[in-house]
Amino acid sequence: MALKAVRRLHVLRQAALPHLLSPTTLNACAPGSLTLFQGYRHSLSGTEEKLQKRQLCITTREPLFLVAGSICLSHDPSARGAFASLLHGLSSDEERAFKQRLFSRKTSQQVLHLVRSTPHLSSAGAVAVLHRLADLEQDGAKGLKEPEVLLSDPALNKMCLKLQRDAGELDDEVVIRALLGCTRLYLDPQSHLVMRLMSESQVRLNTGRLSIETLCELVQAMFAVDGPYCGILEQAMRQIQNKDPAHWNPSELTSVYKMLAAGLGESGRYQELLNEMNTQALRLSPRMDPVTVSETFEALVMLYQTQALPLVIALCKQAVRHVPNFANTQLSSVLSALMHYGHSDHFLIEALERHVPKIAFTAHPETISRVMQYFGKRRIFSPSVFDAVAESFVYRADEYTTEQVSRQIVALGALGYVPQEAGRLFRKVESVLNARFSHFQPRTLLDLLHACTLLQRFPLNYVSKVFSPFFLQQLQEGSVMDQGVLAQLTQLYITMKLECPFYRGPQFLPKLRVKSFLSPGCSLESLVDPHLYNRVKNGLVDLLGDRTYFASRVLTPYCYTLDVEIKLDEDGYVLPASHVEEVYKRIAVCINGPKRFAANARQLLGKEAIKQRHLEILGYEVVQIPYYEIENLKDKVHTVEYLHKKIFPHTYRLSW
């Protein structure tokens, strides 16, 4: 019997916190037994299918779960009194008022106090209490924050007892939502309450009349209890698949998306169903509200729907309408999904530019940092948003986590934009580093310090710590350091050498430095645009008279790659590219294509700006050839004239 009980504890056993039950809790009730419904037997595996009845003793179950184990059986006299029944009805106003009070509670203690002070609690209200407690108690690590609070509360135990006793009389939706609430609170799968709700759910499922939303909740609950191959789950999934997605409404689509995204849709399971859902969601996207848009976006990411780009574009268009109405978490989900799919929309950017400055001081820090991260990843240049966020950060820095602080500065560094409040902003960043330096993850700290150098703010006080052997060991993942990390460290070292020559701290070891910022895995330089390069190359051949008078893709000792290099002697004459002696002046021609600028403005990216700044310090004369100038030239004659004026503005050109 013990072995059979052990085999049934799947997902919840791994998720629950150990030893949550105290001896006092285990001894709170007398042992009892529960007879399972005939319809539930088929979901059990192996020899369990042969059992028509099963005796469960509360005091003998394994103490690994937060259990309604202190729930007493219906014959226990201690259960009489308050909460005599959950079957009585409340008026709609009373139900609405209770739920408003419930969702205004911010801690489990406040919710439990509300339960104790509500003598007449409906079944729907009891289920809402379970889910509200789960919302407040789940800590994101498959556990509960304060399990002892729930274990020690008699009012909650009495409420669960009434759910167990009245389960046969409750509505289908209430029974299954109660079961889902129990799994979210990690209640023991073999407790009387959970077993009773599971058997009732099987009976309701057998009728075939459950709605899609209710079927989805049942699937989620059974997935948590028995994994993806549970009999009840498979039966519910067959009923869902038998319903044509072409006739589903947005709410039904969202329910199935969320259910599959909770883990059931991993490894490509139910992909055919998802394809049909994606097609229907594309048709329904103009009717979706903010909640549906954000939840659909989130599910598409979690389900790895890489072929759903048309749906992503349609959802993005609908999101434009809802930007002012998105809740903080919803806007964060939408922007995270758009970053995942690499999509941006001109109208969405305009909507965010109107909305974000209004909420910069009031929105959740995660939402603000996601906005900044999105703008940085998609190369969106928006001074109005950047200035508003920078000003709000000065006053709200303590509300941000170290990761959120880093995201904001990294976005500014990516776009190479120094906000109007730069002085106060970086003083606040420095104070955060001083106060919470040990709280930063190594990669997060490196990203932050590197972004500061892109904006010509040099973190001298912290570079010595970054170059220390201990910190470098923390940065290492496995046996080999990531090339992107090595590139950042190399550029940080070069910045100290070139722009802070008075720096005397630890050096970055030569054996760890990358040779080129264009190496695979590095992203500190952008490849030259092939079309623009060919156009400039042909023009330079006509301008200089021969291809030998300039070199292409030249790697400098400081890891930067020059698009074109031209050498001059002391008299200003062009030398052959192979010439290494008597070189008086070097010209670095930067052919800047669209990817070296912001996506929506002629703003050079931070990584390109620092490259040109370092080349000038190294003695190069830097000549920029931006795409928006050379693309307007009509023919080769105009191209040659343009290049002559850009590269040799004070020299008369001879005709070859």
Side-chain angles (χ1 to χ4, degrees):
M1 189 61 156
L3 289 176
K4 294 173 185 175
V6 168
R7 291 211 311 266
R8 285 187 47 77
L9 302 181
H10 299 293
V11 178
L12 293 179
R13 167 170 293 163
Q14 299 169 5
L17 295 174
H19 308 299
L20 294 179
L21 292 178
S22 63
T24 304
T25 303
L26 290 174
N27 296 327
C29 301
S33 62
L34 174 66
T35 301
L36 297 186
F37 279 22
Q38 183 78 10
Y40 177 69
R41 293 199 311 274
H42 83 281
S43 69
L44 305 180
S45 59
T47 57
E48 291 174 313
E49 294 182 354
K50 301 176 182 179
L51 298 178
Q52 296 184 8
K53 294 185 179 181
R54 184 169 184 177
Q55 299 267 322
L56 294 178
C57 181
I58 297 178
T59 58
T60 59
R61 65 177 175 275
E62 209 165 315
L64 291 177
F65 303 91
L66 173 60
V67 179
S70 53
I71 297 174
C72 304
L73 298 178
S74 57
H75 61 263
D76 190 340
S78 66
R80 296 169 188 161
F83 312 118
S85 175
L86 296 172
L87 300 179
H88 59 76
L90 294 178
S91 68
S92 59
D93 291 340
E94 290 174 328
E95 193 79 35
R96 190 182 308 110
F98 173 78
K99 289 187 177 180
Q100 287 177 350
R101 294 197 303 273
L102 175 62
F103 287 99
S104 67
R105 298 320 193 248
K106 302 301 181 185
T107 65
S108 296
Q109 292 91 333
Q110 292 175 355
V111 172
L112 295 173
H113 177 74
L114 176 63
V115 173
R116 288 190 292 270
S117 62
T118 308
H120 301 292
L121 190 61
S122 68
S123 57
V127 172
V129 168
L130 292 178
H131 284 276
R132 184 57 179 163
L133 287 172
D135 292 338
L136 296 172
E137 282 293 311
Q138 287 184 343
D139 61 4
K142 293 187 176 181
L144 302 179
K145 297 176 183 176
E146 299 177 313
E148 65 280 356
V149 173
L150 304 182
L151 281 169
S152 60
D153 191 81
L156 178 61
N157 289 327
K158 291 179 181 179
M159 185 191 77
C160 290
L161 173 65
K162 301 306 179 288
L163 274 175
Q164 174 189 330
R165 188 186 65 186
D166 297 338
E169 306 297 328
L170 301 178
D171 293 338
D172 298 344
E173 293 78 6
V174 174
V175 170
I176 291 171
R177 278 192 60 77
L179 177 60
L180 180 60
C182 291
T183 63
R184 294 186 66 207
L185 285 171
Y186 304 115
L187 301 195
D188 188 348
Q190 298 187 23
S191 67
H192 287 267
L193 174 60
V194 175
M195 296 291 280
R196 171 69 166 156
L197 292 173
M198 287 170 61
S199 62
E200 277 297 329
S201 299
Q202 175 71 80
V203 172
R204 313 303 174 90
L205 179 62
N206 288 342
T207 65
R209 64 169 183 258
L210 296 182
S211 67
I212 291 178
E213 291 93 334
T214 305
L215 285 170
C216 289
E217 291 178 339
L218 178 57
V219 168
Q220 287 180 265
M222 296 311 302
F223 181 74
V225 173
D226 270 350
Y229 304 109
C230 163
I232 297 179
L233 183 150
E234 292 177 345
Q235 183 181 352
M237 283 304 302
R238 284 194 297 271
Q239 291 190 18
I240 291 175
Q241 289 175 295
N242 289 335
K243 300 178 185 290
D244 187 1
H247 300 127
W248 294 357
N249 59 39
S251 177
E252 292 169 335
L253 273 173
T254 304
S255 297
V256 181
Y257 271 129
K258 291 171 61 179
M259 175 264 294
L260 293 174
L264 190 63
E266 292 180 354
S267 304
R269 287 195 295 264
Y270 303 106
Q271 186 58 52
E272 291 185 6
L273 174 62
L274 279 168
N275 292 339
E276 296 179 14
M277 291 169 56
N278 293 341
T279 301
Q280 175 67 355
L282 183 60
R283 287 194 291 263
L284 295 179
S285 59
R287 293 165 44 192
M288 291 185 177
D289 59 18
V291 176
T292 305
V293 170
S294 64
E295 290 181 345
T296 304
F297 261 130
E298 189 173 359
L300 291 176
V301 173
M302 297 180 69
L303 292 166
Y304 304 104
Q305 295 299 289
T306 56
Q307 305 300 320
L309 191 57
L311 176 57
V312 170
I313 295 173
L315 290 173
C316 183
K317 291 180 179 179
Q318 184 67 1
V320 174
R321 306 176 185 177
H322 295 313
V323 165
N325 303 317
F326 278 130
N328 286 321
T329 55
Q330 293 165 1
L331 184 57
S332 298
S333 297
V334 169
L335 295 179
S336 297
L338 290 175
M339 282 188 283
H340 175 82
Y341 284 102
H343 180 69
S344 57
D345 182 270
H346 171 70
F347 297 104
L348 178 65
I349 300 307
E350 290 183 344
L352 290 172
E353 287 179 329
R354 291 190 299 268
H355 181 61
V356 173
K358 298 176 184 177
I359 64 169
F361 284 86
T362 57
H364 193 279
E366 177 67 14
T367 303
I368 297 300
S369 64
R370 285 294 178 193
V371 170
M372 292 294 288
Q373 186 182 28
Y374 177 69
F375 277 52
K377 293 277 189 183
R378 301 303 303 157
R379 306 185 352 256
I380 305 300
F381 182 67
S382 179
S384 60
V385 171
F386 294 162
D387 288 336
V389 171
E391 183 180 3
S392 69
F393 179 80
V394 172
Y395 296 97
R396 303 181 60 194
D398 294 339
E399 301 177 29
Y400 289 85
T401 66
T402 54
E403 176 70 26
Q404 292 164 352
V405 172
S406 179
R407 284 181 201 158
Q408 297 189 56
I409 306 304
V410 167
L412 293 174
L415 274 301
Y417 180 72
V418 180
Q420 295 179 2
E421 294 286 344
R424 293 200 296 165
L425 170 67
F426 286 101
R427 283 194 295 272
K428 182 59 69 172
V429 170
E430 186 174 7
S431 69
V432 170
L433 284 169
N434 287 330
R436 293 190 272 169
F437 184 84
S438 61
H439 298 171
F440 280 85
Q441 292 295 319
R443 289 290 296 269
T444 302
L445 179 63
L446 179 59
D447 289 341
L448 173 60
L449 300 182
H450 180 261
C452 289
T453 62
L454 297 180
L455 299 170
Q456 300 187 65
R457 296 324 191 255
F458 309 111
L460 294 176
N461 296 338
Y462 309 101
V463 170
S464 58
K465 299 178 182 180
V466 169
F467 290 153
S468 68
F470 174 72
F471 188 83
L472 294 177
Q473 187 176 13
Q474 287 183 308
L475 281 171
Q476 186 170 334
E477 298 176 357
S479 58
V480 181
M481 187 91 71
D482 180 78
Q483 283 297 305
V485 171
L486 291 176
Q488 284 182 307
L489 290 168
T490 303
Q491 191 170 57
L492 196 60
Y493 169 75
I494 290 174
T495 301
M496 294 299 104
K497 294 284 289 184
L498 296 180
E499 302 192 64
C500 305
F502 46 85
Y503 171 73
R504 294 293 182 269
Q507 306 294 304
F508 188 48
L509 297 178
K511 65 179 181 180
L512 296 177
R513 301 172 199 165
V514 299
K515 304 302 180 184
S516 170
F517 291 142
L518 277 179
S519 301
C522 305
S523 59
L524 302 185
E525 276 191 278
S526 302
L527 290 169
V528 64
D529 184 281
H531 172 72
L532 291 177
Y533 169 75
N534 288 331
R535 191 164 180 181
V536 171
K537 182 187 70 173
N538 294 334
L540 286 175
V541 170
D542 287 353
L543 175 65
L544 302 178
D546 194 82
R547 176 67 179 82
T548 59
Y549 286 102
F550 64 92
S552 302
R553 300 179 178 89
V554 179
L555 179 63
T556 69
Y558 282 80
C559 309
Y560 294 110
T561 300
L562 308 182
D563 299 331
V564 171
E565 182 186 43
I566 299 174
K567 300 175 182 178
L568 304 179
D569 64 11
E570 190 172 1
D571 296 324
Y573 290 103
V574 178
L575 298 172
S578 59
H579 210 82
V580 294
E581 298 179 355
E582 300 179 358
V583 178
Y584 180 75
K585 184 178 182 180
R586 298 173 186 266
I587 299 176
V589 180
C590 297
I591 307 172
N592 295 328
K595 292 186 177 180
R596 295 184 179 180
F597 291 88
N600 62 331
R602 294 175 179 178
Q603 168 76 9
L604 201 63
L605 297 180
K607 63 181 180 181
E608 301 300 330
I610 193 174
K611 172 184 176 179
Q612 296 186 20
R613 196 165 71 239
H614 286 175
L615 290 177
E616 289 175 350
I617 294 173
L618 291 170
Y620 286 91
E621 178 183 330
V622 178
V623 176
Q624 290 193 52
I625 308 295
Y627 73 96
Y628 50 84
E629 291 182 356
I630 199 167
E631 283 183 346
N632 292 328
L633 302 177
K634 298 178 181 179
D635 50 32
K636 183 180 289 189
V637 174
H638 289 88
T639 300
V640 173
E641 290 290 339
Y642 168 81
L643 292 173
H644 177 254
K645 291 179 181 178
K646 292 287 287 190
I647 301 174
F648 307 107
H650 307 296
T651 305
Y652 178 76
R653 186 174 77 87
L654 298 174
S655 298
W656 304 104

